[in-house]
Amino acid sequence: MRGKTIGDQELALLQYIAEQDRPSVGEVATGFGEPRGLARSTVLTMMERLRAKSYLSRKQVNGVYRYATTSGQDSVVQGAVASFVEKTLQGSVSPFVAFMSHKVDVSDQELAELEALVAQLQSRKREG
């Protein structure tokens, strides 16, 4: 994690940009901002803040700046989750485990991912 905090809206914006092919500010304002009621200037400000935090890079192509995430989407999400666990859950994953145990719609893929994670954690614990 880079040590710079990222909010929910910024995380959603990064995920949107990561799913696009080097979008311009105008494209992001239309595809991401408009559905959320955000003005183009607000989207530009958010993108420039993310660039200042080193989460986005930009390159001028045919007179238009094109943006891309600087790290994989997984890394950004992992940092946001770590921040959430530390700040909101006071470092404990127990509330999250309790939430998941009550969640009705857990897909087979989510269940497989959770099982793989538990196996990985158990393996690390035996090694350490």
Side-chain angles (χ1 to χ4, degrees), residues 24-98:
S24 68
V25 172
E27 293 164 349
V28 175
T30 300
F32 178 83
E34 285 180 12
R36 290 168 175 77
L38 301 174
R40 183 185 188 285
S41 60
T42 302
V43 171
L44 173 60
T45 299
M46 289 174 63
M47 291 172 72
E48 285 303 310
R49 284 184 184 157
L50 289 169
R51 196 167 71 90
K53 293 178 184 180
S54 299
Y55 286 109
L56 286 180
S57 64
R58 75 177 186 188
K59 182 179 179 182
Q60 195 168 23
V61 179
N62 297 326
V64 176
Y65 283 115
R66 298 282 176 181
Y67 290 78
T69 57
T70 57
S71 62
Q73 189 173 339
D74 290 343
S75 173
V76 173
V77 171
Q78 188 175 37
V81 169
S83 177
F84 174 77
V85 169
E86 288 302 315
K87 292 178 181 176
T88 306
L89 303 181
Q90 288 78 44
S92 173
V93 295
S94 295
F96 173 73
V97 172

Side-chain angles (χ1 to χ4, degrees), residues 93-110:
V93 295
S94 295
F96 173 73
V97 172
F99 165 77
M100 289 301 293
S101 71
H102 290 87
K103 186 176 176 190
V104 177
D105 298 328
V106 177
S107 71
D108 290 340
Q109 181 179 348
E110 288 173 320

Side-chain angles (χ1 to χ4, degrees), residues 1-45:
M1 201 163 100
R2 290 179 169 78
K4 294 185 169 87
T5 60
I6 183 167
D8 294 343
Q9 188 89 295
E10 288 176 321
L11 178 60
L13 177 59
L14 277 175
Q15 289 175 318
Y16 179 84
I17 292 170
E19 293 166 0
Q20 308 305 306
D21 183 24
R22 299 191 65 87
S24 68
V25 172
E27 293 164 349
V28 175
T30 300
F32 178 83
E34 285 180 12
R36 290 168 175 77
L38 301 174
R40 183 185 188 285
S41 60
T42 302
V43 171
L44 173 60
T45 299

